[in-house]
């Protein structure tokens, strides 16, 4: 009974409505404010100063005490206004591999004439990011959250907060959007060798990136094969770059669930299949994916990579084929 009453009171007090589609406008009833530890110390000092001024009839003591008290009240108003009437919308999150940090983005729309300073975004109150929002501008704020498991990852409730300008008050608002990040299985390292590829022929042939002719460099992406990294460029402090090759993809292969050793569990199989997808993509081979209840036809290119990794991320062993 006590727990249910506490949860009901908490939901009513902090306006917990569940995930929201669309924008959240931080009207007055959505913004909360309390004194910080420094704020309580400040109030205690004011009380001591007032007591001393009364005991010793210090006129200047009264002036200083009430001046500082007015400053404290002013700070409370400015801290509250730093969040009030912001319009917040959810941004898109790029897919990541399990174990990596998923970046969740929100857009802060300040339609007023005053700048908003030192606005923080956090999920667990341990890690925060801060942004300033100019007047009549939209500024993105992002928070990184480690994705521990494959599948659909939702950040849950986020907190937008500020202590501006003096740190005497903590003002915050809760954000919970219908946003998510797709988490791919972590590629096995080291993975098993790719299964034998067959020579392409007829309708099964496809054009892709081959390995005949060097065509340039691009920025390194997680999962790129180490043998395609331009190590000489890295030695010259040019960052990690990946070699690209052009030509006709002469081979194609199927990445099949049944090609993996029987003792492997579900997650281990998905991990090895993810490694195969990345290796096949790096080799410029036309490939397809076969899972229980789902088949992705032969193709090549980045779109094929995304289709296969998405199928692996959403694979449900209890309901094969339910992800698509």
């Amino acid at each position: 009974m006590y727990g249910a009453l506490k949860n009901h009171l908490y939901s009513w007090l902090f306006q917990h409505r569940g995930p929201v589609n669309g924008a959240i406008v931080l009207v007055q009833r959505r913004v909360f404010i309390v004194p910080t530890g420094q704020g309580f110390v400040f109030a205690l000092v004011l009380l001591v100063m007032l007591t001393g001024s009364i005991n010793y009839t210090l006129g200047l003591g009264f002036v200083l005490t009430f001046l500082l008290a007015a400053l404290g009240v002013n700070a409370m108003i400015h801290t509250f206004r730093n969040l009030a009437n912001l319009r917040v919308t959810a941004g898109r999150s790029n897919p990541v591999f399990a174990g990596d940090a998923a970046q969740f983005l929100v857009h802060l729309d300040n339609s007023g004439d005053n700048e908003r300073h030192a606005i923080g975004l956090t999920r667990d109150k341990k890690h925060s990011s801060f942004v300033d929002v100019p007047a009549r501008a939209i500024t993105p704020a992002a928070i990184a959250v480690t994705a521990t498991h494959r599948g659909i990852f939702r950040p849950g409730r986020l907190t937008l907060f500020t202590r501006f300008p003096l740190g005497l008050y903590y003002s915050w608002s809760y954000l919970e959007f219908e946003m998510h990040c797709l988490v791919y299985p972590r590629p096995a390292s080291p993975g098993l060798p790719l299964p034998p590829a067959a020579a392409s022929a007829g309708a099964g042939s496809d054009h892709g990136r081959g390995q005949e002719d060097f065509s340039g460099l691009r920025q390194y992406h997680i999962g790129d094969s180490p043998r395609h990294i331009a190590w000489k460029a890295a030695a010259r402090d040019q960052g990690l770059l990946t070699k690209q090759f052009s030509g006709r993809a002469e081979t194609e292969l199927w990445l099949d669930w049944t090609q993996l050793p029987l003792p492997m569990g579900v997650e281990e199989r998905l991990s090895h299949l993810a490694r195969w997808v990345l290796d096949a993509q790096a080799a410029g081979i036309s490939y397809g994916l076969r899972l229980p209840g789902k088949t992705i036809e032969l193709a090549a290119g980045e779109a094929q990579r995304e289709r296969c990794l998405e199928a692996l991320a959403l694979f449900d062993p209890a309901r094969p084929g339910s992800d698509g």
Side-chain angles (χ1 to χ4, degrees):
M1 178 66 71
Y2 171 75
L5 181 61
K6 180 180 177 181
N7 291 335
H8 179 74
L9 178 63
Y10 183 85
S11 298
W12 172 81
L13 182 63
F14 294 113
Q15 303 293 314
H16 178 55
R17 301 178 179 86
V20 174
N21 281 313
I24 294 177
V25 179
L26 303 186
V27 294
Q28 290 186 1
R29 66 177 180 273
R30 279 190 173 271
V31 181
F32 311 98
I33 185 169
V34 294
T36 62
Q38 294 92 328
F40 282 112
V41 172
F42 181 78
L44 180 61
V45 170
L46 288 181
L47 182 60
V48 172
M49 291 175 62
L50 180 61
T51 302
S53 300
I54 293 173
N55 285 341
Y56 297 101
T57 318
L58 299 175
L60 290 178
F62 283 115
V63 172
L64 181 59
T65 300
F66 290 122
L67 181 63
L68 291 176
L71 178 65
V73 173
N74 236 348
M76 178 176 63
I77 295 172
H78 282 283
T79 302
F80 183 86
R81 285 181 176 176
N82 204 38
L83 285 186
N85 297 319
L86 281 176
R87 186 174 184 269
V88 189
T89 54
R92 292 178 59 87
S93 297
N94 294 323
V96 297
F97 290 94
D100 292 341
Q103 295 284 339
F104 291 98
L105 189 72
V106 297
H107 298 282
L108 308 180
D109 184 356
N110 178 16
S111 59
D113 296 324
N114 298 320
E115 295 185 4
R116 313 298 181 97
H117 300 280
I119 295 179
L121 180 68
T122 184
R123 178 176 178 261
D124 54 10
K125 297 185 178 180
K126 296 179 182 178
H127 304 92
S128 306
S129 62
F130 292 87
V131 295
D132 295 327
V133 187
R136 301 193 177 280
I138 299 176
T139 301
I143 189 70
V145 185
T146 301
T148 57
H149 303 289
R150 69 173 179 90
I152 299 296
F153 178 48
R154 293 180 172 83
R157 176 182 279 192
L158 304 177
T159 303
L160 199 68
F161 68 94
T162 184
R163 297 184 182 90
F164 179 85
L166 300 180
L168 300 180
Y169 300 92
Y170 176 81
S171 181
W172 79 97
S173 181
Y174 292 121
L175 309 173
E176 191 168 0
F177 291 105
E178 279 286 0
M179 61 179 177
H180 66 270
C181 176
L182 184 63
V183 182
Y184 300 145
R186 189 75 183 175
S189 180
L192 297 174
L194 281 172
S200 60
S205 64
D206 199 354
H207 288 272
R209 288 194 306 240
Q211 300 188 47
E212 294 82 0
D213 301 308
F214 175 74
S215 63
L217 299 172
R218 64 166 172 79
Q219 289 294 324
Y220 172 81
H221 300 304
I222 183 172
D224 285 348
S225 175
R227 64 176 177 271
H228 290 146
I229 295 176
W231 296 109
K232 291 183 179 180
R236 294 193 295 267
D237 294 329
Q238 296 179 2
L240 283 180
L241 301 174
T242 300
K243 298 177 183 178
Q244 288 185 296
F245 300 89
S246 62
R248 182 179 178 85
E250 297 291 345
T251 56
E252 59 188 28
L253 79 155
W254 283 100
L255 310 178
D256 199 321
W257 176 276
T258 59
Q259 292 172 318
L260 292 165
L262 289 176
M264 281 189 180
V266 172
E267 297 304 322
E268 190 177 2
R269 286 172 180 265
L270 294 174
S271 180
H272 280 279
L273 286 170
R275 169 52 60 192
W276 280 356
V277 168
L278 298 179
D279 289 347
Q281 172 70 16
I285 299 173
S286 179
Y287 61 95
L289 178 66
R290 287 180 178 141
L291 298 172
K294 186 175 183 68
T295 298
I296 296 178
E297 296 299 330
L298 291 164
E302 291 293 331
Q304 176 73 348
R305 173 185 179 274
E306 301 304 319
R307 282 192 294 268
C308 292
L309 290 177
E310 180 178 351
L312 295 175
L314 300 179
F315 177 73
D316 185 355
R319 298 174 56 195
S322 63
D323 57 334

